[in-house]
C-alpha cells in the first residue's frame, strides 16, 4: 500500500477495514490517543451494522462526543476508498464544538431550523481570536437539503456553512447521521466549530455549459422528479440530447453528462440519480416546472482536482489538512476512467480527509457533482504589544 505524506499536525486519523463493527472500533481505538480530543468525526462504509457500530463506539469512547454519517466512499490518508471506517479526532487545543440534530428532517420548517441554528450560535460561548464555521451532515435520501442549507444560512447569517449528504454506497436505500450515540435517518446534524486555525472554503466542479438547453415542462418537485423535458418524456429527451437510447442510460452516463443550472454568473450541477417509472428522471437536487437546464461538458477531472486543491494560507503555506465532501458521482467518473490511482495521489499529497456524498452544501446552496471542502491552516501568529 502506498504511503501517505506526513500526517497533519492538527487532526488525528484512524482507519479500519474490519467488517465486524466491534473489531473495527477496537482497531480505531488502538490507533488513537483521545485524552486531548474534543470530538470524533466518523465516516462509515457501506456494510457495517450501524446499531453494533454505535454500541461499540459508545462503549469504547464513553464521554467523548462522536458524530458522523454513512457514506458512498471515504477519503482516507491513502486517498479514495470504499470499505474503510475513517475516524478523525479533533483536539481540544484547537477546536470547540456545539451541535444540534434536526429531526425529523422531513417535513422541514425553514423558520424553525433557522431559529434553532440562531439559538445554538448565541448560546455557544465565544473564544477570543477564534473563528467559527458550521458543518452539516444530512440524510442523503431526504430530498430536504436544499431547504436545510437555506435555513441554516439564514439562521447563522455570516457564518460559513459546509457539508455533505450521507450516502449508502450505490444502493440508495437508507442513509444515516450519527449523533448522541445513535444513528438517525430522516435527520441532519448541525455542528458548529470554533477554531484558532485559519481556514478557507473550497467548492469546484469540472463542467462547462454546452449550447444544449432544456426546460422542465412537468415535474413532481417534492419528489425531485422531472416527468417531462421540452414537452417530451424526460428520460427520452435527455437520452436524445446525449445521443443514446433510454435503456443505455446509467450512473456513468449521468456522471459524465450532467445538467447545469445557472445561478447569476455561476453554473451548479443538478445531478440525475436515475430513470424512474420508465421515462421520469429522478434528481439529487431541487427540480421544478419551468427550470432551465443546460447540458454540461466535462473538463479534465484530474487537472481540475490538482489545480483547485493547490491552495495556500495567508502565510503562504499549504493546508495542514482539507476536510472534503466529494460527490459520489465524481468518484464514479474517476473509477470509470481508471483514474482512481492518480486521483488518490493528489488527495494524499493535499492531505484531504472526508467522504463521498449524495450531495454537497456550500455558500447557502445544495449542489451535486462538486467537491466542497474546508482547508485548515496553522494558527495565525499574533503580535504581542
Amino acid at each position: 500500500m502506498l504511503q501517505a505524506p506526513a500526517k497533519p499536525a492538527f487532526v488525528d486519523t484512524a482507519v479500519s477495514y474490519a467488517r465486524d463493527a466491534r473489531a473495527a472500533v477496537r482497531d480505531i481505538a488502538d490507533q488513537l490517543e483521545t485524552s486531548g480530543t474534543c470530538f470524533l468525526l466518523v465516516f462509515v462504509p457501506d456494510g457495517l451494522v450501524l446499531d453494533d457500530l454505535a454500541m461499540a463506539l459508545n462503549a469504547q469512547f464513553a464521554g467523548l462526543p462522536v458524530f458522523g454519517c454513512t457514506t458512498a466512499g471515504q477519503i482516507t490518508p491513502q486517498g479514495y476508498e470504499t470499505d474503510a471506517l475513517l475516524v478523525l479526532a479533533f483536539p481540544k487545543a484547537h477546536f470547540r464544538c456545539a451541535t444540534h440534530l434536526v429531526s425529523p428532517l422531513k417535513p422541514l420548517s425553514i423558520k424553525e431550523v433557522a431559529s434553532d441554528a440562531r439559538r445554538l450560535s448565541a448560546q455557544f460561548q465565544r473564544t477570543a481570536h477564534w473563528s467559527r464555521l458550521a458543518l452539516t451532515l444530512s440524510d442523503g435520501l431526504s430530498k430536504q437539503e436544499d431547504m436545510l442549507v437555506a435555513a441554516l444560512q439564514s439562521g447563522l447569517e455570516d457564518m460559513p456553512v459546509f457539508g455533505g449528504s450521507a450516502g449508502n454506497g450505490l444502493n440508495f436505500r437508507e442513509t444515516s447521521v450519527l449523533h448522541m450515540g445513535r444513528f438517525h435517518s430522516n435527520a441532519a446534524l448541525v455542528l458548529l466549530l470554533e477554531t484558532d486555525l485559519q481556514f478557507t472554503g473550497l467548492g469546484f466542479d469540472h463542467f462547462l455549459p454546452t449550447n444544449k438547453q432544456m426546460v422542465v415542462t412537468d415535474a413532481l418537485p417534492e419528489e425531485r422528479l422531472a416527468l417531462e423535458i421540452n414537452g417530451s418524456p424526460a428520460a427520452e429527451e435527455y437520452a436524445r440530447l446525449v445521443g443514446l437510447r433510454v435503456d443505455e442510460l446509467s450512473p456513468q452516463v449521468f456522471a459524465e453528462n450532467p445538467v447545469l443550472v445557472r445561478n447569476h454568473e455561476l453554473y451548479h450541477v443538478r445531478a440525475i440519480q436515475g430513470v424512474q417509472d420508465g421515462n421520469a428522471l429522478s434528481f439529487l437536487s431541487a427540480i421544478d416546472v419551468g427550470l432551465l437546464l443546460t447540458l454540461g461538458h466535462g473538463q479534465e477531472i484530474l487537472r481540475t482536482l490538482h489545480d483547485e486543491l493547490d491552495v495556500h494560507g495567508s502565510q503562504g503555506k499549504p493546508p495542514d489538512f482539507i476536510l472534503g465532501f466529494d460527490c459520489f458521482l465524481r468518484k464514479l467518473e474517476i473509477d470509470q476512467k481508471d483514474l482512481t490511482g492518480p486521483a488518490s495521489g493528489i488527495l494524499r499529497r493535499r492531505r484531504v480527509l472526508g467522504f463521498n456524498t449524495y450531495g454537497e452544501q456550500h455558500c447557502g446552496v445544495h449542489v451535486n457533482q462538486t467537491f466542497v471542502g474546508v482547508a485548515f491552516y496553522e494558527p495565525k501568529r499574533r503580535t504581542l504589544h
Side-chain angles (χ1 to χ4, degrees):
M1 186 174 285
L2 294 173
Q3 295 299 309
K7 290 184 177 181
F10 301 112
V11 68
D12 200 4
T13 62
V15 178
S16 175
Y17 302 96
R19 304 314 296 153
D20 173 77
R22 296 174 183 84
V25 172
R26 287 195 297 270
D27 282 354
I28 295 297
D30 289 342
Q31 298 170 52
L32 294 176
E33 168 51 58
T34 59
S35 59
T37 298
C38 176
F39 68 94
L40 300 179
L41 200 52
V42 178
F43 298 125
V44 183
D46 199 33
L48 288 180
V49 178
L50 297 186
D51 287 345
D52 291 349
L53 181 61
M55 289 177 59
L57 288 168
N58 293 340
Q60 185 66 57
F61 301 108
L64 182 61
V66 183
F67 313 111
C69 67
T70 57
T71 74
Q74 308 79 45
I75 307 173
T76 76
Q78 300 294 345
Y80 281 132
E81 306 215 47
T82 56
D83 297 315
L85 177 65
L86 171 64
V87 178
L88 309 181
F90 290 76
K92 294 177 182 177
H94 300 285
F95 292 94
R96 295 177 61 247
C97 72
T99 66
H100 173 66
L101 186 72
V102 180
S103 179
L105 188 55
K106 184 178 184 178
L108 182 144
S109 165
I110 291 180
K111 183 178 179 180
E112 185 175 330
V113 171
S115 177
D116 288 343
R118 193 176 299 113
R119 186 181 308 112
L120 182 68
S121 178
Q123 293 173 348
F124 189 24
Q125 188 173 352
R126 290 188 175 273
T127 303
H129 307 296
W130 285 35
S131 301
R132 292 184 166 197
L133 69 153
L135 303 178
T136 177
L137 303 174
S138 57
D139 184 328
L141 298 177
S142 66
K143 299 181 173 68
Q144 298 296 294
E145 301 101 317
D146 306 91
M147 291 198 298
L148 173 68
V149 70
L152 291 176
Q153 201 69 62
S154 173
L156 297 174
E157 297 178 343
D158 59 350
M159 189 185 304
V161 180
F162 309 93
S165 304
N168 172 218
L170 296 180
N171 300 311
F172 295 97
R173 286 194 298 266
E174 184 177 26
T175 67
S176 303
V177 299
L178 175 62
H179 179 260
M180 299 294 287
R182 290 179 51 216
F183 282 95
H184 305 261
S185 294
N186 191 25
L189 168 68
V190 180
L191 183 63
L192 301 191
L193 292 188
E194 193 172 64
T195 180
D196 68 338
L197 303 184
Q198 299 182 80
F199 64 85
T200 56
L202 305 174
F204 60 88
D205 59 47
H206 61 292
F207 296 103
L208 294 174
T210 67
N211 59 3
K212 294 182 178 180
Q213 294 188 323
M214 55 199 105
V215 177
V216 179
T217 47
D218 192 13
L220 296 175
E222 67 278 6
E223 297 299 326
R224 292 180 176 169
L225 206 62
L227 303 178
E228 288 186 358
I229 290 175
N230 294 341
S232 299
E236 287 184 12
E237 180 66 359
Y238 172 82
R240 183 186 71 81
L241 289 169
V242 298
L244 297 172
R245 302 188 310 272
V246 171
D247 62 6
E248 293 178 302
L249 299 180
S250 68
Q252 289 78 13
V253 172
F254 300 137
E256 295 187 28
N257 301 273
V259 296
L260 315 178
V261 173
R262 186 170 181 174
N263 182 7
H264 300 296
E265 298 304 314
L266 300 176
Y267 283 87
H268 299 295
V269 179
R270 295 285 171 93
I272 300 170
Q273 179 179 340
V275 178
Q276 188 168 318
D277 300 328
N279 267 315
L281 288 177
S282 174
F283 281 76
L284 291 166
S285 288
I287 207 77
D288 206 348
V289 175
L291 187 65
L292 178 64
L293 304 174
T294 301
L295 195 66
H297 172 70
Q299 300 173 286
E300 189 179 343
I301 192 167
L302 286 189
R303 180 175 295 278
T304 304
L305 185 66
H306 176 277
D307 292 347
E308 296 290 346
L309 293 179
D310 186 16
V311 293
H312 295 81
S314 62
Q315 300 175 48
K317 296 182 179 180
D320 182 68
F321 71 99
I322 297 173
L323 182 61
F325 308 97
D326 192 26
C327 186
F328 81 100
L329 287 167
R330 289 171 48 82
K331 184 173 185 289
L332 198 63
E333 179 181 347
I334 286 169
D335 288 346
Q336 181 76 8
K337 294 179 176 178
D338 293 324
L339 298 174
T340 303
S344 290
I346 295 170
L347 296 171
R348 285 196 304 270
R349 290 191 294 275
R350 302 303 185 194
R351 295 181 181 175
V352 180
L353 303 164
F355 76 104
N356 294 109
T357 73
Y358 278 0
E360 307 77 56
Q361 293 83 52
H362 179 49
C363 296
V365 181
H366 173 65
V367 294
N368 302 122
Q369 224 155 331
T370 302
F371 181 100
V372 168
V374 187
F376 290 95
Y377 308 88
E378 65 180 47
K380 188 175 182 179
R381 301 185 189 94
R382 292 197 299 272
T383 303
L384 299 178
H385 296 285

